[in-house]
Amino acid sequence: MTSAEVANKLPKDFIWGFATASFQIEGSTNVDGRGKSIWDDFSKQPKKTLDGRDGDVATDSYRLWKEDIALLAHYGVKSYRFSLSWSRIIPLGGRNDPVNPKGIAFYSNLIDALLEHGIIPFVTLYHWDLPQTLHDRYGGWLNKDEIVQDYVHYAKVCFQAFGDRVKHWLTVNEPWCVSILGYGRGVFAPGRSSDRERSPEGDSSTEPWIVGHSVILSHAYAVRLYREEFKAAQGGQIGITLNGDWAMPYDDSPQNVEAAQHALDVVIGWFADPIYLGHYPEYMKQMLRERLPEFTPEELKVVKGSSDFYGMNTYTTHLCRAGGDDEFQGFVEYTFIRPDGTQLGTQAHCAWLQDYPEGFRDLLNYIWKRYKLPIYVTENGFAVKDESSKPIEEALQDNDRVNYFKGNTASLKAAVLEDGVDVRAYFPWSFLDNFEWADGYTTRFGVTYVDYETQQRYPKESAKFLVKWFGDNVDAGDR
């Protein structure tokens, strides 16, 4: 290969692969000693999921994991991002509760099999499935003093069991969603909200900010534990992964330029600023005043610098206008309609998602300049409109998803090679169609089609595109 060709490729140690989460794929919710998570009963309540379905079977990956790994190997991925089910490992969740050897064995076997196929395990400790017992016992994330200790203990059990083989850890997936969707809007488990038609209890004006604070501290103390007790021997990296989409001013008026920054402060800065810069964003302090919890000086020492990299989950771009009454968006209105009436991009199945690859490149640049750490893109994906109602043959021709990834991989490459952004990994969401939380099974994000009647897996065109793209665009080294 010529030096010019190498210069036009991502570096050979660039990590790519596909991502999943335990509750979305595993099923087998009551076998081999697994305890309940907050999603088990929540997803069974009327009207909590769009199609009324729950996670009891999902893609049956607890039983079909060997098939899943064979398919990942067939795709030739470098890595697989998956999450551990806390209540499978510690069924009652707490620091004095028994550890489940069958839960440990399941993930240990999975990790071994990945490594046998040359696939790097990229492990998320917490992807929204809090053990139900901890929520019942003391309010879960609402109780900082208890949850930090229990989460750190759970992390320790995982580092001890798997850290000899796992070198890439994510502490928490998308704390904004944990906080806002679980305790503000009440659309995700545990479904707490001030809206009494939605939830008998909860306070959307205070609880999300308390929960976010608890999550940051749980993450930070788990990272401290890893660094003090495990990193020297195990040699891994650990960080958090944050959701956040690019915010673009609706027009160049000063109030809309400011609104776009406010949106970034509340969705991204709320978690990223304390962890990477050592303080909450000024705008959030002004917006929330005494409702925003404060870190003690001792806590802040643990929080600041508590991530080895920037984990980024991002899907879309919003045009931002000042105004609106949604505190969770920083009193900013989101739209996909430009001032001239045109749409920003192709509409996905979900109302919140349109395709706009330029925004992905802008966000990579923003994060790199602001936080100055290597970026791991741990989720990025697209749900094709009405894919669930199409015949399988048609669903496999997922052109809108292919176009989404065409644009975003080009943006990724340009950000790295032209803009100098240090991006180390890219994980499209998701490896499989799966239980899409409050959407049930009606929304499909997979690059692999799952027929839920038979659990057969079928590669979509998007999987083929991505496999080929990374084959062509990552330096193969000396192979």
Side-chain angles (χ1 to χ4, degrees), residues 12-281:
K12 63 176 180 290
D13 56 357
F14 188 89
I15 294 171
W16 72 276
F18 300 129
T20 61
S22 52
F23 192 78
Q24 294 183 265
I25 66 165
E26 285 180 0
S28 297
T29 49
N30 60 355
V31 307
D32 290 343
R34 178 187 177 278
K36 276 185 182 178
S37 83
I38 52 173
W39 272 93
D40 285 63
D41 290 347
F42 179 79
S43 62
K44 291 182 173 67
Q45 290 174 31
K47 299 188 177 158
K48 296 302 184 192
T49 62
L50 276 182
D51 54 4
R53 293 164 73 191
D54 57 48
D56 281 1
V57 179
T59 67
D60 207 12
S61 289
Y62 186 76
R63 294 195 312 117
L64 301 178
W65 64 273
K66 288 179 181 167
E67 288 180 32
D68 287 346
I69 291 178
L71 182 55
L72 287 164
H74 169 72
Y75 285 154
V77 299
K78 278 199 184 179
S79 182
Y80 176 45
R81 178 188 169 219
F82 62 97
S83 80
L84 308 175
S85 162
W86 185 343
S87 63
R88 216 179 266 296
I89 291 171
I90 308 173
L92 301 175
R95 55 199 181 274
N96 299 312
D97 295 318
V99 173
N100 176 23
K102 287 184 175 171
I104 298 281
F106 171 72
Y107 293 114
S108 196
N109 291 336
L110 179 75
I111 289 163
D112 284 345
L114 288 168
L115 291 170
E116 280 161 24
H117 285 89
I119 298 170
I120 299 165
F122 212 105
V123 179
T124 309
L125 288 166
Y126 183 79
H127 199 124
W128 306 352
D129 47 355
L130 185 76
Q132 181 68 46
T133 311
L134 300 188
H135 182 74
D136 296 341
R137 202 178 270 173
Y138 55 71
W141 294 110
L142 290 164
N143 188 326
K144 178 185 90 172
D145 297 334
E146 293 291 337
I147 194 70
V148 171
Q149 293 184 73
D150 282 345
Y151 176 80
V152 171
H153 169 74
Y154 160 61
K156 183 174 190 172
V157 168
C158 296
F159 300 149
Q160 284 170 332
F162 315 121
D164 56 332
R165 290 155 291 159
V166 173
K167 306 304 170 194
H168 298 273
W169 294 101
L170 294 167
T171 51
V172 179
N173 181 78
E174 301 187 345
W176 186 93
C177 295
V178 173
S179 310
I180 297 299
L181 303 181
Y183 299 82
R185 298 199 170 133
V187 292
F188 281 6
R192 293 175 67 88
S193 165
S194 293
D195 177 353
R196 287 293 160 260
E197 287 181 14
R198 191 176 283 288
S199 172
E201 49 193 14
D203 181 349
S204 303
S205 72
T206 57
E207 289 188 4
W209 319 113
I210 293 166
V211 167
H213 199 70
S214 296
V215 170
I216 291 171
L217 288 165
S218 297
H219 146 79
Y221 279 92
V223 170
R224 184 175 77 169
L225 171 84
Y226 183 77
R227 287 173 176 170
E228 288 179 354
E229 294 186 26
F230 296 94
K231 190 177 172 79
Q234 296 181 354
Q237 287 194 305
I238 187 165
I240 193 166
T241 201
L242 307 178
N243 60 293
D245 295 320
W246 183 235
M248 211 159 68
Y250 179 72
D251 55 27
D252 52 15
S253 70
Q255 63 266 37
N256 290 337
V257 171
E258 195 175 59
Q261 184 58 52
H262 291 165
L264 292 168
D265 287 344
V266 175
V267 177
I268 293 174
W270 173 12
F271 298 97
D273 282 14
I275 289 167
Y276 300 107
L277 308 177
H279 53 77
Y280 278 125

Side-chain angles (χ1 to χ4, degrees), residues 149-446:
Q149 293 184 73
D150 282 345
Y151 176 80
V152 171
H153 169 74
Y154 160 61
K156 183 174 190 172
V157 168
C158 296
F159 300 149
Q160 284 170 332
F162 315 121
D164 56 332
R165 290 155 291 159
V166 173
K167 306 304 170 194
H168 298 273
W169 294 101
L170 294 167
T171 51
V172 179
N173 181 78
E174 301 187 345
W176 186 93
C177 295
V178 173
S179 310
I180 297 299
L181 303 181
Y183 299 82
R185 298 199 170 133
V187 292
F188 281 6
R192 293 175 67 88
S193 165
S194 293
D195 177 353
R196 287 293 160 260
E197 287 181 14
R198 191 176 283 288
S199 172
E201 49 193 14
D203 181 349
S204 303
S205 72
T206 57
E207 289 188 4
W209 319 113
I210 293 166
V211 167
H213 199 70
S214 296
V215 170
I216 291 171
L217 288 165
S218 297
H219 146 79
Y221 279 92
V223 170
R224 184 175 77 169
L225 171 84
Y226 183 77
R227 287 173 176 170
E228 288 179 354
E229 294 186 26
F230 296 94
K231 190 177 172 79
Q234 296 181 354
Q237 287 194 305
I238 187 165
I240 193 166
T241 201
L242 307 178
N243 60 293
D245 295 320
W246 183 235
M248 211 159 68
Y250 179 72
D251 55 27
D252 52 15
S253 70
Q255 63 266 37
N256 290 337
V257 171
E258 195 175 59
Q261 184 58 52
H262 291 165
L264 292 168
D265 287 344
V266 175
V267 177
I268 293 174
W270 173 12
F271 298 97
D273 282 14
I275 289 167
Y276 300 107
L277 308 177
H279 53 77
Y280 278 125
E282 274 313 309
Y283 178 67
M284 285 195 68
K285 292 181 194 169
Q286 292 164 19
M287 184 176 92
L288 297 171
R289 302 187 189 279
E290 69 285 347
R291 287 183 292 139
L292 185 66
E294 286 184 30
F295 296 106
T296 66
E298 203 259 320
E299 287 171 341
L300 207 51
K301 281 196 192 103
V302 181
V303 169
K304 188 181 180 184
S306 61
S307 192
D308 294 336
F309 50 81
Y310 188 99
M312 178 202 278
N313 288 3
T314 189
Y315 287 84
T316 193
T317 295
H318 297 285
L319 290 164
C320 295
R321 273 193 301 235
D325 55 5
D326 192 343
E327 190 169 70
F328 305 143
Q329 290 173 193
F331 298 111
V332 176
E333 286 183 348
Y334 291 168
T335 182
F336 290 127
I337 304 170
R338 296 187 181 91
D340 67 4
T342 57
Q343 296 283 323
L344 195 61
T346 303
Q347 181 60 48
H349 190 72
C350 339
W352 55 267
L353 175 53
Q354 283 193 3
D355 184 1
Y356 187 69
E358 298 88 338
F360 180 46
R361 183 174 178 178
D362 288 341
L363 182 61
L364 287 167
N365 275 276
Y366 172 83
I367 295 296
W368 172 240
K369 289 186 179 105
R370 187 173 177 92
Y371 302 116
K372 301 179 176 66
L373 278 178
I375 297 168
Y376 289 73
V377 181
T378 43
E379 281 181 33
N380 185 239
F382 192 82
V384 175
K385 208 163 176 34
D386 302 323
E387 197 172 67
S388 260
S389 55
K390 295 176 177 178
I392 292 179
E393 295 71 28
E394 199 183 321
L396 298 182
Q397 305 296 318
D398 57 341
N399 298 327
D400 285 353
R401 187 177 289 108
V402 171
N403 287 333
Y404 177 91
F405 285 126
K406 267 184 189 159
N408 281 13
T409 50
S411 283
L412 169 78
K413 193 173 167 182
V416 173
L417 299 179
E418 295 170 37
D419 308 338
V421 179
D422 186 359
V423 187
R424 306 261 176 106
Y426 183 72
F427 289 91
W429 184 270
S430 170
F431 169 44
L432 304 167
D433 290 334
N434 57 47
F435 175 75
E436 197 47 52
W437 308 110
D439 282 13
Y441 298 89
T442 54
T443 301
R444 292 174 178 264
F445 270 95

